[in-house]
């Protein structure tokens, strides 16, 4: 019985497995990938600033591929990897050079005006005025904190918010810039609820004797009754109503404790 043997096709010459060539191919391929990564990272800001470079690089890449396709001789894998690495390295260098170039400003250069006869006169400094705070929108605790912030802004030291149960009329305490002890009572009232003389009497009985105030302030978002104002004048308590508070917060008037500077 005869058996048919399949003829083995002889390996063509030049296609024998070469470990060294294969290792070189993969090494060059890895190098090309690394260079490609650096190129992409470097080209990212260039794409945002100069998208024309992307089109130019793509055209160059297409031209290189077409040139290799027209050649009759088929290049080896090692040669392709080497040339790809060189192309990517050149593209990376071009992108880095593009990043170093200054971006032209879209605005025309500012040409200084010629010096005039009044250039030696210094302009008067304008002090910005802080906008008033809507104290009616604050809670009583927030209102006390806002008054403490005003004291800090105007140079007071050791500013503390001490209002609460058992405060005996003192909501904010501080030291004025000239060293006097300041005691403030805060009344966040509505327009229809004025601070009366009884409120002033209760505060007047503790602000000086208990808290040792040199300057006593009653600040309100409303107003004071006439008897309350009269009692405050007799005891040396400074009353700050809604309008005075707004002017103080906007910096249009001196600090309210300045009114009691001569009263010890």
């Amino acid at each position: 019985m005869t058996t048919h043997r399949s003829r083995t096709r002889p390996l063509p010459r030049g296609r024998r497995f070469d470990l060294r060539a294969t290792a070189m191919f993969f090494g060059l391929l890895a190098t090309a990938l690394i260079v490609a990564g650096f190129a992409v990272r470097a080209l990212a800001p260039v794409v945002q600033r100069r998208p024309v470079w992307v089109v130019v690089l793509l055209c160059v890449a297409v031209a290189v591929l077409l040139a290799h396709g027209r050649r009759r001789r088929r290049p080896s894998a090692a040669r392709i990897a080497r040339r790809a690495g060189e192309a990517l390295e050149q593209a990376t260098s071009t992108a880095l050079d593009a990043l170093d170039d200054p971006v032209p400003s879209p605005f025309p250069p500012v040409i200084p005006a010629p010096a005039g006869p009044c250039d030696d006169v210094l302009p008067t400094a304008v002090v910005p005025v802080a906008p008033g705070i809507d104290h009616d929108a604050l809670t009583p605790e927030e209102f006390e904190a806002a008054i403490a912030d005003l004291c800090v802004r105007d140079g007071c030291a050791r500013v503390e918010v001490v209002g609460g149960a058992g405060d005996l009329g003192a909501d904010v305490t501080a030291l004025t810039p000239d060293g006097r002890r300041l005691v403030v009572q805060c009344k966040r009232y509505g327009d229809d609820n004025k601070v009366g003389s009884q409120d002033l009497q209760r505060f007047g009985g503790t602000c000086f004797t208990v808290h040792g105030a040199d300057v006593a302030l009653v600040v309100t978002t409303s107003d004071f009754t006439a008897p309350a104002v009269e009692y405050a004048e007799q005891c040396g308590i400074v009353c700050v109503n809604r309008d005075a508070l707004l002017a103080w917060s906007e910096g249009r008037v001196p600090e309210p404790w300045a009114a009691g500077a001569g009263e010890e």
Side-chain angles (χ1 to χ4, degrees):
M1 181 176 179
T2 60
T3 58
H4 297 280
R5 296 182 177 178
S6 58
R7 296 181 179 180
T8 59
R9 186 176 180 181
L11 293 174
R13 296 180 179 179
R15 292 190 178 181
R16 295 179 181 179
F17 177 76
D18 191 350
L19 180 61
R20 182 178 179 182
T22 304
M24 184 179 298
F25 167 74
F26 283 106
L28 292 174
L29 182 60
T31 303
L33 291 177
I34 293 174
V35 175
F38 282 108
V40 172
R41 184 177 179 182
L43 287 175
V46 178
V47 172
Q48 298 178 357
R49 292 170 48 186
R50 300 183 180 180
V52 180
W53 280 103
V54 181
V55 179
V56 174
L57 292 176
L58 289 177
C59 293
V60 172
V62 172
V64 171
L65 292 177
L66 292 177
H68 281 290
R70 292 179 179 178
R71 297 181 60 180
R72 295 181 179 180
R73 182 183 176 183
R74 186 177 183 180
S76 63
R79 185 177 302 172
I80 293 176
R82 184 174 62 254
R83 292 184 177 179
E86 294 175 355
L88 289 174
E89 184 178 359
Q90 184 177 3
T92 304
S93 178
T94 303
L96 293 176
D97 293 340
L99 287 175
D100 294 335
D101 293 339
V103 180
S105 175
F107 303 100
V110 179
I111 301 175
C118 299
D119 289 345
D120 294 336
V121 180
L122 296 177
T124 304
V126 178
V127 179
V129 177
I133 302 175
D134 186 9
H135 296 98
D136 293 328
L138 303 179
T139 64
E141 292 77 12
E142 292 173 343
F143 180 58
E144 294 174 2
I147 298 303
D149 291 340
L150 288 176
C151 295
V152 173
R153 184 199 69 181
D154 292 339
C156 289
R158 301 181 185 177
V159 179
E160 296 183 8
V161 179
V162 295
D167 58 12
L168 297 178
D171 295 323
V172 179
T173 60
L175 289 179
T176 62
D178 55 358
R180 293 177 296 158
R181 179 167 175 79
L182 176 66
V183 179
V184 185
Q185 186 179 71
C186 303
K187 296 290 187 182
R188 199 199 65 79
Y189 286 171
D191 294 336
D192 56 347
N193 187 14
K194 295 183 179 182
V195 180
S197 61
Q198 293 182 357
D199 296 325
L200 268 294
Q201 291 174 14
R202 284 191 292 268
F203 180 61
T206 59
C207 62
F208 297 108
T209 58
V210 177
H211 300 293
D214 297 320
V215 181
L217 262 65
V218 178
V219 183
T220 181
T221 53
S222 179
D223 205 344
F224 297 88
T225 63
V229 174
E230 182 179 356
Y231 177 83
E233 291 177 351
Q234 294 175 357
C235 297
I237 300 175
V238 180
C239 296
V240 181
N241 61 5
R242 173 189 293 273
D243 295 336
L245 174 60
L246 181 61
W248 178 27
S249 63
E250 292 180 348
R252 294 186 281 109
V253 295
E255 301 82 359
W257 53 82
E263 300 177 6
E264 296 294 341

Short mmCIF file of all heavy atoms in Angstrom, two decimals, residues 67-122:
data_model
loop_
_atom_site.label_atom_id
_atom_site.label_comp_id
_atom_site.label_asym_id
_atom_site.label_seq_id
_atom_site.Cartn_x
_atom_site.Cartn_y
_atom_site.Cartn_z
N ALA A 67 5.73 57.82 0.02
CA ALA A 67 7.07 57.66 -0.56
C ALA A 67 7.60 56.25 -0.33
O ALA A 67 8.22 55.64 -1.22
CB ALA A 67 8.02 58.69 0.03
N HIS A 68 7.34 55.69 0.84
CA HIS A 68 7.79 54.32 1.10
C HIS A 68 6.98 53.32 0.28
O HIS A 68 7.49 52.27 -0.12
CB HIS A 68 7.65 54.01 2.59
CG HIS A 68 8.77 54.58 3.41
ND1 HIS A 68 10.05 54.09 3.34
CD2 HIS A 68 8.79 55.60 4.31
CE1 HIS A 68 10.83 54.79 4.18
NE2 HIS A 68 10.09 55.71 4.76
N GLY A 69 5.68 53.62 0.04
CA GLY A 69 4.87 52.68 -0.74
C GLY A 69 5.28 52.62 -2.19
O GLY A 69 5.09 51.60 -2.86
N ARG A 70 5.80 53.69 -2.73
CA ARG A 70 6.20 53.71 -4.14
C ARG A 70 7.53 53.00 -4.40
O ARG A 70 7.85 52.65 -5.52
CB ARG A 70 6.29 55.15 -4.62
CG ARG A 70 4.91 55.84 -4.68
CD ARG A 70 5.06 57.26 -5.14
NE ARG A 70 3.76 57.93 -5.22
CZ ARG A 70 3.61 59.19 -5.56
NH1 ARG A 70 4.69 59.92 -5.88
NH2 ARG A 70 2.40 59.72 -5.60
N ARG A 71 8.31 52.83 -3.36
CA ARG A 71 9.61 52.18 -3.56
C ARG A 71 9.40 50.68 -3.81
O ARG A 71 8.58 50.02 -3.18
CB ARG A 71 10.48 52.39 -2.33
CG ARG A 71 10.80 53.85 -2.07
CD ARG A 71 11.68 54.02 -0.87
NE ARG A 71 12.95 53.32 -1.04
CZ ARG A 71 13.92 53.30 -0.14
NH1 ARG A 71 13.75 53.94 1.01
NH2 ARG A 71 15.05 52.65 -0.35
N ARG A 72 10.14 50.13 -4.74
CA ARG A 72 10.03 48.71 -5.08
C ARG A 72 10.62 47.83 -3.99
O ARG A 72 10.12 46.76 -3.70
CB ARG A 72 10.75 48.42 -6.41
CG ARG A 72 10.11 49.12 -7.60
CD ARG A 72 10.86 48.77 -8.87
NE ARG A 72 10.25 49.43 -10.02
CZ ARG A 72 10.71 49.29 -11.26
NH1 ARG A 72 11.79 48.54 -11.50
NH2 ARG A 72 10.10 49.92 -12.23
N ARG A 73 11.67 48.29 -3.43
CA ARG A 73 12.33 47.50 -2.42
C ARG A 73 11.57 47.62 -1.11
O ARG A 73 11.29 48.70 -0.65
CB ARG A 73 13.77 48.00 -2.22
CG ARG A 73 14.54 47.17 -1.20
CD ARG A 73 15.91 47.78 -1.02
NE ARG A 73 16.65 47.07 0.03
CZ ARG A 73 17.85 47.42 0.43
NH1 ARG A 73 18.44 48.48 -0.11
NH2 ARG A 73 18.46 46.72 1.39
N ARG A 74 11.23 46.51 -0.58
CA ARG A 74 10.48 46.50 0.68
C ARG A 74 11.44 46.65 1.84
O ARG A 74 12.31 45.81 2.05
CB ARG A 74 9.70 45.20 0.81
CG ARG A 74 8.78 45.17 2.02
CD ARG A 74 7.99 43.89 2.03
NE ARG A 74 7.06 43.86 3.14
CZ ARG A 74 6.25 42.85 3.39
NH1 ARG A 74 6.27 41.78 2.58
NH2 ARG A 74 5.44 42.89 4.42
N PRO A 75 11.33 47.70 2.63
CA PRO A 75 12.30 47.90 3.72
C PRO A 75 12.07 46.91 4.85
O PRO A 75 10.97 46.39 5.04
CB PRO A 75 12.02 49.34 4.16
CG PRO A 75 10.58 49.57 3.81
CD PRO A 75 10.33 48.78 2.56
N SER A 76 13.08 46.70 5.59
CA SER A 76 12.99 45.78 6.72
C SER A 76 12.27 46.45 7.88
O SER A 76 12.10 47.66 7.91
CB SER A 76 14.39 45.35 7.15
OG SER A 76 15.12 46.48 7.59
N ALA A 77 11.84 45.59 8.83
CA ALA A 77 11.12 46.12 9.99
C ALA A 77 12.02 47.01 10.83
O ALA A 77 11.58 48.02 11.38
CB ALA A 77 10.58 44.96 10.82
N ALA A 78 13.27 46.62 10.94
CA ALA A 78 14.20 47.43 11.74
C ALA A 78 14.38 48.80 11.13
O ALA A 78 14.43 49.82 11.84
CB ALA A 78 15.54 46.72 11.84
N ARG A 79 14.43 48.87 9.79
CA ARG A 79 14.61 50.15 9.14
C ARG A 79 13.37 51.03 9.31
O ARG A 79 13.47 52.24 9.54
CB ARG A 79 14.89 49.94 7.65
CG ARG A 79 15.22 51.23 6.89
CD ARG A 79 15.56 50.93 5.44
NE ARG A 79 16.70 50.00 5.37
CZ ARG A 79 17.12 49.45 4.23
NH1 ARG A 79 16.50 49.72 3.09
NH2 ARG A 79 18.15 48.62 4.23
N ILE A 80 12.18 50.40 9.23
CA ILE A 80 10.94 51.18 9.42
C ILE A 80 10.88 51.75 10.83
O ILE A 80 10.54 52.92 11.05
CB ILE A 80 9.71 50.28 9.14
CG1 ILE A 80 9.67 49.91 7.66
CG2 ILE A 80 8.43 51.00 9.55
CD1 ILE A 80 8.55 48.96 7.31
N ALA A 81 11.23 50.90 11.81
CA ALA A 81 11.19 51.38 13.19
C ALA A 81 12.20 52.50 13.41
O ALA A 81 11.92 53.48 14.11
CB ALA A 81 11.47 50.22 14.15
N ARG A 82 13.39 52.38 12.82
CA ARG A 82 14.40 53.41 12.99
C ARG A 82 13.97 54.73 12.37
O ARG A 82 14.11 55.79 12.97
CB ARG A 82 15.73 52.94 12.38
CG ARG A 82 16.86 53.92 12.62
CD ARG A 82 18.19 53.36 12.13
NE ARG A 82 18.20 53.12 10.69
CZ ARG A 82 18.14 51.92 10.14
NH1 ARG A 82 18.05 50.85 10.91
NH2 ARG A 82 18.14 51.76 8.83
N ARG A 83 13.40 54.65 11.16
CA ARG A 83 12.97 55.89 10.51
C ARG A 83 11.77 56.51 11.22
O ARG A 83 11.64 57.74 11.27
CB ARG A 83 12.64 55.60 9.05
CG ARG A 83 13.87 55.24 8.22
CD ARG A 83 13.53 55.07 6.76
NE ARG A 83 14.73 54.79 5.98
CZ ARG A 83 14.73 54.57 4.66
NH1 ARG A 83 13.58 54.60 4.00
NH2 ARG A 83 15.87 54.34 4.03
N ALA A 84 10.90 55.65 11.74
CA ALA A 84 9.76 56.20 12.48
C ALA A 84 10.22 56.92 13.73
O ALA A 84 9.71 57.98 14.10
CB ALA A 84 8.77 55.08 12.84
N GLY A 85 11.21 56.34 14.40
CA GLY A 85 11.75 57.00 15.59
C GLY A 85 12.40 58.32 15.26
O GLY A 85 12.25 59.31 15.98
N GLU A 86 13.15 58.36 14.15
CA GLU A 86 13.77 59.63 13.75
C GLU A 86 12.72 60.69 13.42
O GLU A 86 12.87 61.86 13.76
CB GLU A 86 14.69 59.39 12.56
CG GLU A 86 15.91 58.52 12.88
CD GLU A 86 16.73 58.21 11.64
OE1 GLU A 86 16.27 58.59 10.54
OE2 GLU A 86 17.80 57.60 11.76
N ALA A 87 11.64 60.27 12.73
CA ALA A 87 10.59 61.22 12.37
C ALA A 87 9.88 61.77 13.60
O ALA A 87 9.61 62.97 13.71
CB ALA A 87 9.57 60.56 11.42
N LEU A 88 9.60 60.86 14.55
CA LEU A 88 8.95 61.31 15.77
C LEU A 88 9.85 62.22 16.60
O LEU A 88 9.41 63.19 17.21
CB LEU A 88 8.50 60.11 16.60
CG LEU A 88 7.32 59.31 16.01
CD1 LEU A 88 7.08 58.07 16.85
CD2 LEU A 88 6.07 60.16 15.94
N GLU A 89 11.14 61.92 16.62
CA GLU A 89 12.07 62.77 17.35
C GLU A 89 12.14 64.15 16.74
O GLU A 89 12.19 65.17 17.43
CB GLU A 89 13.45 62.11 17.36
CG GLU A 89 14.47 62.88 18.19
CD GLU A 89 15.81 62.18 18.23
OE1 GLU A 89 15.93 61.10 17.62
OE2 GLU A 89 16.74 62.72 18.86
N GLN A 90 12.14 64.21 15.41
CA GLN A 90 12.16 65.52 14.74
C GLN A 90 10.87 66.29 15.00
O GLN A 90 10.88 67.51 15.20
CB GLN A 90 12.37 65.32 13.24
CG GLN A 90 12.50 66.63 12.46
CD GLN A 90 12.76 66.40 10.99
OE1 GLN A 90 12.79 65.24 10.54
NE2 GLN A 90 12.97 67.46 10.25
N ALA A 91 9.73 65.57 15.01
CA ALA A 91 8.46 66.23 15.29
C ALA A 91 8.42 66.77 16.70
O ALA A 91 7.91 67.87 16.96
CB ALA A 91 7.29 65.26 15.06
N THR A 92 8.98 66.00 17.65
CA THR A 92 9.03 66.48 19.03
C THR A 92 9.88 67.73 19.15
O THR A 92 9.54 68.69 19.84
CB THR A 92 9.58 65.37 19.94
OG1 THR A 92 8.77 64.21 19.79
CG2 THR A 92 9.56 65.81 21.39
N SER A 93 11.03 67.75 18.48
CA SER A 93 11.89 68.92 18.53
C SER A 93 11.19 70.14 17.92
O SER A 93 11.29 71.25 18.43
CB SER A 93 13.19 68.62 17.77
OG SER A 93 14.03 69.76 17.75
N THR A 94 10.44 69.93 16.85
CA THR A 94 9.70 71.04 16.24
C THR A 94 8.63 71.58 17.17
O THR A 94 8.42 72.79 17.27
CB THR A 94 9.07 70.57 14.91
OG1 THR A 94 10.10 70.06 14.06
CG2 THR A 94 8.36 71.72 14.21
N ALA A 95 7.95 70.64 17.86
CA ALA A 95 6.90 71.07 18.77
C ALA A 95 7.47 71.86 19.94
O ALA A 95 6.90 72.87 20.38
CB ALA A 95 6.11 69.86 19.29
N LEU A 96 8.61 71.43 20.47
CA LEU A 96 9.23 72.16 21.58
C LEU A 96 9.69 73.54 21.14
O LEU A 96 9.60 74.51 21.90
CB LEU A 96 10.41 71.35 22.14
CG LEU A 96 10.02 70.04 22.85
CD1 LEU A 96 11.27 69.29 23.28
CD2 LEU A 96 9.12 70.31 24.04
N ASP A 97 10.20 73.64 19.91
CA ASP A 97 10.59 74.95 19.40
C ASP A 97 9.38 75.87 19.26
O ASP A 97 9.46 77.08 19.50
CB ASP A 97 11.29 74.80 18.04
CG ASP A 97 12.64 74.09 18.20
OD1 ASP A 97 13.17 74.08 19.32
OD2 ASP A 97 13.15 73.54 17.20
N ALA A 98 8.26 75.26 18.87
CA ALA A 98 7.05 76.06 18.73
C ALA A 98 6.55 76.57 20.06
O ALA A 98 6.00 77.67 20.18
CB ALA A 98 5.94 75.24 18.04
N LEU A 99 6.73 75.76 21.11
CA LEU A 99 6.32 76.21 22.45
C LEU A 99 7.17 77.36 22.94
O LEU A 99 6.71 78.22 23.70
CB LEU A 99 6.39 75.04 23.44
CG LEU A 99 5.31 73.97 23.31
CD1 LEU A 99 5.59 72.84 24.28
CD2 LEU A 99 3.94 74.56 23.55
N ASP A 100 8.44 77.38 22.56
CA ASP A 100 9.33 78.45 23.00
C ASP A 100 9.05 79.77 22.31
O ASP A 100 9.41 80.83 22.82
CB ASP A 100 10.80 78.05 22.77
CG ASP A 100 11.19 76.87 23.65
OD1 ASP A 100 10.54 76.71 24.70
OD2 ASP A 100 12.14 76.15 23.28
N ASP A 101 8.41 79.73 21.14
CA ASP A 101 8.14 80.97 20.42
C ASP A 101 7.07 81.77 21.15
O ASP A 101 6.06 81.22 21.61
CB ASP A 101 7.66 80.67 18.99
CG ASP A 101 8.78 80.03 18.17
OD1 ASP A 101 9.96 80.20 18.55
OD2 ASP A 101 8.47 79.35 17.16
N PRO A 102 7.22 83.06 21.31
CA PRO A 102 6.20 83.86 22.00
C PRO A 102 4.94 83.95 21.16
O PRO A 102 4.98 84.03 19.93
CB PRO A 102 6.87 85.23 22.15
CG PRO A 102 7.89 85.30 21.04
CD PRO A 102 8.38 83.87 20.85
N VAL A 103 3.80 83.91 21.86
CA VAL A 103 2.52 84.02 21.17
C VAL A 103 2.23 85.49 20.90
O VAL A 103 2.27 86.32 21.81
CB VAL A 103 1.39 83.42 22.06
CG1 VAL A 103 0.05 83.54 21.35
CG2 VAL A 103 1.72 81.98 22.38
N PRO A 104 1.94 85.85 19.65
CA PRO A 104 1.69 87.26 19.35
C PRO A 104 0.43 87.75 20.05
O PRO A 104 -0.58 87.05 20.12
CB PRO A 104 1.51 87.26 17.81
CG PRO A 104 1.15 85.86 17.46
CD PRO A 104 1.83 84.99 18.46
N SER A 105 0.49 88.93 20.60
CA SER A 105 -0.65 89.50 21.32
C SER A 105 -1.68 90.01 20.32
O SER A 105 -1.34 90.63 19.30
CB SER A 105 -0.18 90.65 22.20
OG SER A 105 -1.28 91.28 22.81
N PRO A 106 -3.00 89.73 20.57
CA PRO A 106 -4.03 90.22 19.64
C PRO A 106 -4.29 91.70 19.78
O PRO A 106 -5.03 92.26 18.97
CB PRO A 106 -5.27 89.41 20.06
CG PRO A 106 -5.05 89.10 21.50
CD PRO A 106 -3.54 88.92 21.64
N PHE A 107 -3.73 92.34 20.80
CA PHE A 107 -3.97 93.77 21.01
C PHE A 107 -2.77 94.57 20.52
O PHE A 107 -1.62 94.14 20.66
CB PHE A 107 -4.22 94.07 22.48
CG PHE A 107 -5.37 93.28 23.05
CD1 PHE A 107 -5.13 92.13 23.79
CD2 PHE A 107 -6.67 93.67 22.81
CE1 PHE A 107 -6.18 91.41 24.31
CE2 PHE A 107 -7.72 92.96 23.34
CZ PHE A 107 -7.48 91.81 24.07
N PRO A 108 -3.00 95.72 19.98
CA PRO A 108 -1.87 96.55 19.52
C PRO A 108 -1.07 97.06 20.70
O PRO A 108 -1.58 97.18 21.81
CB PRO A 108 -2.58 97.71 18.78
CG PRO A 108 -3.95 97.76 19.39
CD PRO A 108 -4.30 96.34 19.73
N PRO A 109 0.20 97.33 20.49
CA PRO A 109 1.03 97.83 21.61
C PRO A 109 0.55 99.19 22.07
O PRO A 109 0.06 100.00 21.29
CB PRO A 109 2.43 97.90 20.99
CG PRO A 109 2.19 98.01 19.50
CD PRO A 109 0.96 97.21 19.23
N VAL A 110 0.68 99.40 23.37
CA VAL A 110 0.26 100.67 23.96
C VAL A 110 1.40 101.67 23.84
O VAL A 110 2.51 101.43 24.33
CB VAL A 110 -0.13 100.47 25.44
CG1 VAL A 110 -0.54 101.79 26.05
CG2 VAL A 110 -1.25 99.45 25.55
N ILE A 111 1.13 102.75 23.18
CA ILE A 111 2.13 103.80 22.98
C ILE A 111 1.89 104.88 24.01
O ILE A 111 0.80 105.45 24.09
CB ILE A 111 2.05 104.38 21.56
CG1 ILE A 111 2.26 103.26 20.52
CG2 ILE A 111 3.06 105.51 21.38
CD1 ILE A 111 2.09 103.72 19.10
N PRO A 112 2.85 105.15 24.89
CA PRO A 112 2.63 106.18 25.92
C PRO A 112 2.44 107.56 25.31
O PRO A 112 3.08 107.91 24.32
CB PRO A 112 3.90 106.10 26.77
CG PRO A 112 4.94 105.51 25.86
CD PRO A 112 4.21 104.56 24.95
N ALA A 113 1.55 108.30 25.92
CA ALA A 113 1.28 109.66 25.43
C ALA A 113 2.44 110.57 25.80
O ALA A 113 3.14 110.35 26.79
CB ALA A 113 -0.02 110.19 26.05
N PRO A 114 2.68 111.58 25.02
CA PRO A 114 3.77 112.52 25.35
C PRO A 114 3.50 113.25 26.65
O PRO A 114 2.37 113.50 27.03
CB PRO A 114 3.76 113.49 24.15
CG PRO A 114 2.38 113.36 23.56
CD PRO A 114 1.98 111.95 23.78
N ALA A 115 4.57 113.52 27.35
CA ALA A 115 4.47 114.19 28.64
C ALA A 115 3.90 115.60 28.47
O ALA A 115 4.27 116.33 27.55
CB ALA A 115 5.84 114.26 29.31
N GLY A 116 2.97 115.94 29.36
CA GLY A 116 2.36 117.25 29.31
C GLY A 116 2.84 118.12 30.44
O GLY A 116 3.60 117.70 31.31
N PRO A 117 2.36 119.32 30.50
CA PRO A 117 2.82 120.24 31.55
C PRO A 117 2.31 119.88 32.94
O PRO A 117 2.84 120.36 33.93
CB PRO A 117 2.26 121.60 31.10
CG PRO A 117 1.08 121.25 30.25
CD PRO A 117 1.44 119.98 29.55
N CYS A 118 1.27 119.03 33.04
CA CYS A 118 0.68 118.70 34.34
C CYS A 118 1.06 117.32 34.81
O CYS A 118 0.45 116.79 35.74
CB CYS A 118 -0.85 118.80 34.27
SG CYS A 118 -1.46 120.45 33.86
N ASP A 119 2.02 116.67 34.18
CA ASP A 119 2.39 115.32 34.56
C ASP A 119 3.09 115.25 35.90
O ASP A 119 3.15 114.20 36.53
CB ASP A 119 3.29 114.68 33.49
CG ASP A 119 2.49 114.36 32.23
OD1 ASP A 119 1.26 114.36 32.31
OD2 ASP A 119 3.13 114.12 31.18
N ASP A 120 3.66 116.37 36.36
CA ASP A 120 4.37 116.36 37.62
C ASP A 120 3.42 116.44 38.82
O ASP A 120 3.85 116.25 39.95
CB ASP A 120 5.36 117.54 37.70
CG ASP A 120 6.46 117.39 36.67
OD1 ASP A 120 6.71 116.24 36.26
OD2 ASP A 120 7.04 118.41 36.27
N VAL A 121 2.13 116.71 38.57
CA VAL A 121 1.16 116.84 39.65
C VAL A 121 0.62 115.46 39.96
O VAL A 121 0.09 114.78 39.08
CB VAL A 121 0.02 117.80 39.26
CG1 VAL A 121 -0.98 117.92 40.42
CG2 VAL A 121 0.58 119.15 38.87
N LEU A 122 0.75 115.00 41.20
CA LEU A 122 0.27 113.68 41.59
C LEU A 122 -1.24 113.71 41.75
O LEU A 122 -1.79 114.65 42.33
CB LEU A 122 0.92 113.25 42.91
CG LEU A 122 2.43 113.06 42.85
CD1 LEU A 122 2.96 112.70 44.23
CD2 LEU A 122 2.81 112.00 41.84
#
